[in-house]
Amino acid sequence: MADLLVSGIIYGSIIALGAIGLTLISSILNFFNFAYGDLFTLGAFVTLLFLGLFGNSGTIAGLSFGWGLVLATLLSVVIMVVVVLLMDRLFFKPLRDIGVTPLFMSLASLGLAFILRAIINIFWGPEVRYYSPAIQISRRLPLGIRVKPDELFVVICALVLVALVYMFLKRTKMGKAMRAFSDNSVLAKASGVETNKVIMWTWVIAGALITVAGTLYGIQVQLRPIMGWHFLIPLFVAVIMGAVGSFWGAMIGGMVIGISEEMITGLIQNTFNSMQIEADMSVYKPAVAFVLVVAILLLKPHGIFGKREP
Amino acid sequence: MSLLTIKKITAGYGLQDVLFNVSMEVDHGEVVAIIGPNGAGKTTLLRAIVGMIRPKTGDITFKDHPIVGMEPEHVVRMGLGWVPQEENIFPSMTVAENLEMGAYLVEGDLKDRFAEVSAIFPALRERMRQPAGSLSGGQRQMLAVARGLMLRPDLLLLDEPTAGLAPNLVQIMLGRIKEVSDRLKRAVLLVTQTIDALKLCQRGYLLSAGEIKYSDSTENLLGNREVRDLYFGGSPPSS
């Protein structure tokens, strides 16, 4: 049970990281970006590309990777930020300029998702890849909890990034402008907020977050070209569950999805195992996310952190 | 030259024109009313001034600079504040953050500006850390006007700031608007449908079906039987 909770927190922290970026895009650019899952994959693979150039350079304090992966991730973030800014310039800005509806923006992003996935398949092929072939041994903690150093790293890294983004949004002038724009874009413009700057910063933050999320996910599992597409479901559910535009909603929504998926499928798996029924419940994880989002939409249509205007 | 000059603008949404050849002026420090029935185009006129919609024909100049076609963020930068009738605050941000956003274009310390608007709207002072979305209707309107003042605009456009407020709050709000004009010497273009608000103004324009029907001093507008009967339900011009 405790093991499942820990797995859920690890998975949830990665979802939360991606969901914060997605909620910013959804509320500021006013569309659901279906290409975000494939940006997650691309970020992870670009990190792999740089890792191939530098090598892992040993390992850091019990982790399965070395400074090479850290450096590769930083460079990947830079490249991916450029990619998302170009993507906006070439695809989304022309659509915004002609005033297309959010539905068409979302459909355009779906097309972009297919393009990105095709690019990933062309460059890296369909086979699975790893950042490190090293096998880690879990450390035993009280209450029967077992954690690998990599898993601890993933959670700490995600939490640090969440805190940094929160500080940016809460304390800096541009962060406040982004929150204002997300709240009421017309009034933000009438307050002197420059739309182009807000959109640029939204892409920078979302691009950086999804790249790190993809890389952290890659540390945990093997890299597959389809992984981001599958990751998109929990991301969307986290954003909708937490209320579109809510920072803490995305964070908590991500955690709830991660923990629910791991615990519910894990508990059913354990039950089946004890009854000697052969089944792989891990493939049903997205079903948990769907059930949760339907329940939330029925019970609290504006999301957990959503408020109805009085 | 006037602070704001509008010459024969025609504007609307898509193919639907709402304003037809509208011309008007606002001078420095003046409080001017735009009155008229619902659907007359009052809000559209303010949206056209602030750059939210682009007039099809005509000119708007602010401080002698043409502003037609300019983005709202650039119009605001010139010293023009706008307080819409609805959705005029950032609900998930605190009162203090809303005021900060009002002074978004200002670099440096905002203490003086906070003190200035707090003096006019003391009710906001003890609610600075409260989320704006949790304020009452009257407090929201006060925050909206205070936010508009944070930039210290030369001209403040107020779109029905008393709409939906309880009668006692209407009087308080009108008193605050008078202070904005008297104490801060800001010019105000006030969209209103109430006689009490019109009395605050030096003069006014009556907008009907997208056209300026009357332009006169407040006294004359209030003395005009047609204006009283049609737009203020025949209320006598009490002092």
Side-chain angles (χ1 to χ4, degrees), chain B residues 2-212:
Chain B
S2 297
L3 179 62
L4 176 78
T5 307
I6 299 172
K7 277 187 191 159
K8 293 187 174 180
I9 63 161
T10 295
Y13 304 94
L15 295 174
Q16 183 69 50
D17 287 341
V18 177
L19 301 171
F20 305 94
N21 284 318
V22 170
S23 298
M24 63 183 299
E25 288 182 352
V26 180
D27 279 327
H28 292 270
E30 202 180 19
V31 184
V32 177
I34 304 172
I35 56 172
N38 287 335
K42 304 185 295 292
T43 295
T44 305
L45 178 56
L46 295 198
R47 290 176 69 88
I49 295 169
V50 85
M52 288 291 165
I53 56 169
R54 187 184 177 130
K56 288 175 184 166
T57 58
D59 294 316
I60 305 175
T61 53
F62 182 62
K63 293 180 178 174
D64 298 341
H65 295 284
I67 56 171
V68 168
M70 280 172 70
E71 291 294 321
E73 54 258 42
H74 298 123
V75 175
V76 171
R77 204 176 281 272
M78 292 175 69
L80 204 151
W82 174 52
V83 180
Q85 183 185 350
E86 290 170 336
E87 298 187 355
N88 49 20
I89 57 163
F90 302 108
S92 79
M93 301 177 88
T94 64
V95 169
E97 285 173 335
N98 267 268
L99 295 177
E100 273 181 60
M101 286 311 299
Y104 181 76
L105 294 171
V106 179
E107 296 294 335
D109 198 13
L110 300 176
K111 268 186 194 164
D112 288 352
R113 291 170 195 253
F114 268 94
E116 196 172 277
V117 297
S118 297
I120 296 176
F121 299 102
L124 298 177
R125 200 177 292 142
E126 62 262 30
R127 292 180 172 83
M128 286 292 173
R129 297 170 75 91
Q130 193 175 323
S134 67
L135 295 177
S136 67
Q139 289 164 349
R140 277 179 180 223
Q141 285 298 82
M142 288 185 190
L143 174 60
V145 178
R147 187 199 57 76
L149 286 171
M150 283 294 284
L151 192 63
R152 290 180 177 159
D154 297 300
L155 172 62
L156 186 63
L157 311 179
L158 296 177
D159 194 352
E160 302 211 31
T162 58
L165 297 185
N168 61 326
L169 287 175
V170 169
Q171 293 309 318
I172 292 171
M173 177 58 86
L174 293 178
R176 301 292 181 261
I177 294 168
K178 189 164 166 46
E179 269 192 79
V180 169
S181 165
D182 294 348
R183 198 201 298 186
L184 304 181
K185 309 291 179 205
R186 308 267 176 255
V188 177
L189 182 57
L190 176 67
V191 166
T192 183
Q193 294 199 63
T194 69
I195 282 191
D196 284 341
L198 178 58
K199 284 178 189 167
L200 276 184
C201 307
Q202 279 103 50
R203 49 192 193 87
Y205 293 87
L206 193 147
L207 195 62
S208 178
E211 293 177 8
I212 298 287

Side-chain angles (χ1 to χ4, degrees), chain A residues 50-117:
Chain A
F50 283 117
L51 187 65
L53 296 176
F54 306 132
N56 241 322
S57 312
T59 57
I60 309 166
L63 299 170
S64 69
F65 55 87
W67 289 107
L69 183 70
V70 176
L71 182 62
T73 308
L74 292 175
L75 286 170
S76 179
V77 165
V78 174
I79 295 295
M80 287 300 292
V81 163
V82 174
V83 167
V84 292
L85 289 175
L86 275 174
M87 208 170 79
D88 182 63
R89 188 83 190 166
L90 298 175
F91 291 88
F92 297 121
K93 188 175 184 301
L95 293 174
R96 274 199 306 275
D97 289 346
I98 58 169
V100 302
T101 62
L103 174 65
F104 280 100
M105 290 288 273
S106 301
L107 287 174
S109 75
L110 187 62
L112 199 57
F114 292 129
I115 295 171
L116 288 174
R117 208 171 316 147

Side-chain angles (χ1 to χ4, degrees), chain A residues 212-273:
Chain A
V212 177
T215 303
L216 293 179
Y217 193 65
I219 291 172
Q220 292 286 97
V221 296
Q222 66 266 62
L223 302 178
R224 288 169 297 127
I226 200 74
M227 70 180 193
W229 183 243
H230 292 159
F231 196 70
L232 198 58
I233 296 164
L235 279 183
F236 273 128
V237 175
V239 169
I240 293 165
M241 179 182 270
V244 175
S246 166
F247 177 90
W248 292 115
M251 165 81 188
I252 291 169
M255 281 295 182
V256 169
I257 295 294
I259 292 169
S260 306
E261 283 196 4
E262 290 295 323
M263 290 195 79
I264 292 171
T265 55
L267 287 172
I268 296 172
Q269 183 75 62
N270 290 346
T271 310
F272 281 178
N273 289 348

Side-chain angles (χ1 to χ4, degrees), chain A residues 104-257:
Chain A
F104 280 100
M105 290 288 273
S106 301
L107 287 174
S109 75
L110 187 62
L112 199 57
F114 292 129
I115 295 171
L116 288 174
R117 208 171 316 147
I119 291 169
I120 293 163
N121 272 305
I122 290 166
F123 276 90
W124 286 280
E127 62 269 25
V128 296
R129 291 161 190 271
Y130 302 89
Y131 288 139
S132 166
I135 295 170
Q136 277 207 313
I137 297 167
S138 298
R139 310 286 163 92
R140 284 186 181 281
L141 298 175
L143 301 169
I145 298 167
R146 287 172 297 174
V147 185
K148 292 174 188 167
D150 280 4
E151 293 172 336
L152 213 54
F153 173 84
V154 165
V155 175
I156 292 170
C157 186
L159 289 178
V160 167
L161 273 173
V162 166
L164 285 175
V165 174
Y166 177 74
M167 293 300 281
F168 176 83
L169 293 173
K170 191 76 184 164
R171 301 261 180 250
T172 68
K173 196 166 183 174
M174 180 46 65
K176 286 175 189 172
M178 287 171 67
R179 286 167 54 216
F181 204 91
S182 158
D183 247 12
N184 186 339
S185 61
V186 171
L187 195 61
K189 285 180 201 171
S191 302
V193 173
E194 287 175 78
T195 309
N196 289 338
K197 273 190 188 169
V198 166
I199 290 175
M200 187 194 81
W201 275 99
T202 304
W203 282 116
V204 168
I205 292 171
L209 288 181
I210 203 64
T211 305
V212 177
T215 303
L216 293 179
Y217 193 65
I219 291 172
Q220 292 286 97
V221 296
Q222 66 266 62
L223 302 178
R224 288 169 297 127
I226 200 74
M227 70 180 193
W229 183 243
H230 292 159
F231 196 70
L232 198 58
I233 296 164
L235 279 183
F236 273 128
V237 175
V239 169
I240 293 165
M241 179 182 270
V244 175
S246 166
F247 177 90
W248 292 115
M251 165 81 188
I252 291 169
M255 281 295 182
V256 169
I257 295 294

